[in-house]
Amino acid sequence: MKLLKLTILLSITIYFTACSQKTTIKAIKPSQISDKDTKEVAIKDFKNDTVSLSSNIKSNMDKIYFNDEKYFKIVNRDNLDSILKEQKLQDSGLVYISSDKTFDIAEVKSLITGKVNSKNYTKNHFTEQRTNYDKCIKYKTTKSGKKYCDKYQKYNVNCTNHSFSIDAFISINRVSNADIIYSENFTKQSVIKNCEDKNSRVPNKQNIYSDISKSIADDFVSKITPSYQYFRVTLIENEDIDYTDEEEKLLENSLKLIELNHMEKANQLLKELVVSTKSQSSTALYNFGVTNEALGYLDTAYSLYKKAEKISMKNEINEDIIFAVKRIKNSLTNRKKAMKQIKE
């Protein structure tokens, strides 16, 4: 009997843990390439660019704003040739800048160049097995005399995998001294399966290559731009100390407001709960920290998480609280780096 009770208790605990309420948090992270010269840039037409890769990169960069200001200052392409000519840059497939010369053109600090190395299409034929549930080839009978199908007809269909790929090289050079700020090869593939029993058509090749090109552009731009990441955070629904009826209602209503995405209103109720419980409830402190983090008040959230952690360490350790302290430290560091990149 004791074993049965323990099993039931564990099952209930696992169920409620799996079903705990969560909310989405947005946090900014710095770009991988932190060189500020990448923000004042010219984009040269790429070699063999039949997939509009350089145009897709420019389009992506042109749409990025922080604090209602464009993150990148992109030199007009019409002015690019005159800039290259003025600086006597040599074009040998990509761009080579003589290392014994320095330049100081305020209009452009770096130059993005590239080449589409290859654009490939291949077909791979194969067969897949299907089951015809309308055709039974073997029946069985239950003890009660009921007949049922034990084996259905199997058959093969012809299929084809259409594989499209693009391999491209992209580089960012500093205009002043020819330093390579960043360079990388990008390879992307799209595989589309077509089977004779599906009556599906292979999409237009050019459209597929266009989608792959946009995907490469997304990857490249993400490396040189601060961006936002989204993650799910678990809320604590259980009281860790004795709550009054009013405090229970504050907790219940705050969680409901978070679920409805009324974060500021939930934040107000949780502030009341923290005051009412005299900052002695890790549940109240932690959830209040979550709403502050969601609203972008990271320093306040860090302070609240630390207080909740202190209480948790004395009583019963809560993994969500411990992880929140680690997460918010990382978010504070990332925000500082990203804000520096944005302001430079």
Side-chain angles (χ1 to χ4, degrees):
M1 184 61 73
K2 287 183 178 180
L3 180 59
L4 177 61
K5 286 182 178 180
L6 179 60
T7 303
I8 293 172
L9 180 60
L10 286 172
S11 299
I12 292 173
T13 302
I14 292 170
Y15 172 79
F16 281 107
T17 300
C19 297
S20 295
Q21 183 178 334
K22 295 185 177 183
T23 191
T24 301
I25 300 288
K26 180 177 78 170
I28 195 167
K29 63 177 183 178
S31 63
Q32 295 180 35
I33 313 303
S34 60
D35 196 305
K36 65 180 181 180
D37 282 354
T38 60
K39 294 175 66 177
E40 296 181 52
V41 62
I43 305 172
K44 196 173 187 299
D45 287 332
F46 288 7
K47 290 290 183 178
N48 304 327
D49 190 7
T50 59
V51 294
S52 302
L53 180 55
S54 62
S55 296
N56 287 330
I57 289 173
K58 182 183 182 302
S59 177
N60 279 13
M61 293 172 67
D62 213 32
K63 295 174 184 175
I64 296 171
Y65 283 79
F66 290 101
N67 303 323
D68 296 325
E69 292 185 4
K70 282 190 175 184
Y71 182 73
F72 293 103
K73 180 181 177 182
I74 304 174
V75 174
N76 190 307
R77 184 163 292 185
D78 294 336
N79 297 332
L80 180 56
D81 287 339
S82 61
I83 291 172
L84 294 174
K85 183 179 179 181
E86 181 180 350
Q87 298 180 94
K88 299 178 181 179
L89 302 184
Q90 302 173 26
D91 186 358
S92 58
L94 297 177
V95 169
Y96 168 77
I97 308 174
S98 178
S99 59
D100 61 352
K101 294 183 179 181
T102 58
F103 306 96
D104 185 19
I105 304 298
E107 191 175 7
V108 57
K109 299 290 180 62
S110 62
L111 183 67
I112 296 176
T113 62
K115 179 181 179 182
V116 176
N117 296 319
S118 63
K119 184 180 74 171
N120 295 318
Y121 166 66
T122 58
K123 291 195 293 186
N124 176 36
H125 302 288
F126 61 99
T127 59
E128 283 188 348
Q129 192 176 73
R130 302 281 194 265
T131 301
N132 183 2
Y133 291 102
D134 294 325
K135 182 75 173 178
C136 184
I137 60 176
K138 184 179 179 182
Y139 290 92
K140 281 189 176 182
T141 306
T142 64
K143 291 181 180 180
S144 61
K146 187 177 180 180
K147 192 176 182 181
Y148 68 94
C149 185
D150 183 58
K151 188 176 182 181
Y152 291 95
Q153 182 187 52
K154 303 285 186 181
Y155 64 98
N156 291 328
V157 297
N158 295 318
C159 297
T160 303
N161 270 341
H162 300 267
S163 299
F164 302 83
S165 66
I166 294 175
D167 179 83
F169 175 78
I170 305 173
S171 177
I172 307 177
N173 285 79
R174 199 184 317 279
V175 169
S176 62
N177 58 10
D179 281 353
I180 297 175
I181 298 174
Y182 167 79
S183 65
E184 187 173 343
N185 246 82
F186 292 82
T187 301
K188 288 280 185 179
Q189 183 182 44
S190 177
V191 179
I192 298 173
K193 185 173 73 173
N194 184 292
C195 294
E196 60 185 7
D197 61 337
K198 299 296 183 181
N199 294 320
S200 56
R201 292 183 178 180
V202 178
N204 180 275
K205 287 184 179 181
Q206 192 57 40
N207 290 340
I208 299 172
Y209 284 128
S210 176
D211 289 341
I212 298 173
S213 172
K214 289 175 182 177
S215 180
I216 292 175
D218 289 343
D219 281 0
F220 169 73
V221 175
S222 71
K223 293 178 184 294
I224 59 173
T225 313
S227 58
Y228 289 98
Q229 57 182 348
Y230 296 83
F231 46 87
R232 300 285 285 168
V233 173
T234 301
L235 295 154
I236 299 178
E237 302 173 72
N238 301 322
E239 306 160 18
D240 60 314
I241 60 174
D242 289 332
Y243 278 20
T244 64
D245 290 344
E246 183 180 350
E247 289 166 350
E248 287 179 359
K249 200 64 180 176
L250 284 171
L251 177 61
E252 179 186 342
N253 287 345
S254 66
L255 292 171
K256 185 63 177 178
L257 286 168
I258 293 172
E259 184 181 354
L260 296 172
N261 202 31
H262 292 301
M263 203 62 67
E264 289 187 359
K265 292 180 179 179
N267 187 263
Q268 293 172 5
L269 292 188
L270 286 166
K271 183 178 181 180
E272 289 182 37
L273 182 59
V274 168
V275 172
S276 180
T277 55
K278 297 180 174 60
S279 296
Q280 297 303 306
S281 169
S282 62
T283 294
L285 289 164
Y286 170 81
N287 287 343
F288 189 31
V290 170
T291 56
N292 274 279
E293 184 179 4
L295 291 168
Y297 309 134
L298 301 191
D299 293 310
T300 301
Y302 175 69
S303 176
L304 291 164
Y305 287 150
K306 287 295 289 182
K307 289 177 182 178
E309 181 186 48
K310 187 176 180 179
I311 295 171
S312 177
M313 296 291 280
K314 289 180 180 178
N315 301 312
E316 184 177 348
I317 292 177
N318 186 300
E319 291 183 7
D320 291 316
I321 295 175
I322 302 300
F323 181 74
V325 173
K326 182 178 180 181
R327 181 185 67 244
I328 200 72
K329 283 182 179 178
N330 188 53
S331 293
L332 283 164
T333 300
N334 281 341
R335 185 180 67 175
K336 184 177 180 180
K337 290 179 180 178
M339 288 302 104
K340 182 181 178 182
Q341 291 172 353
I342 292 168
K343 291 176 181 178
E344 285 181 336

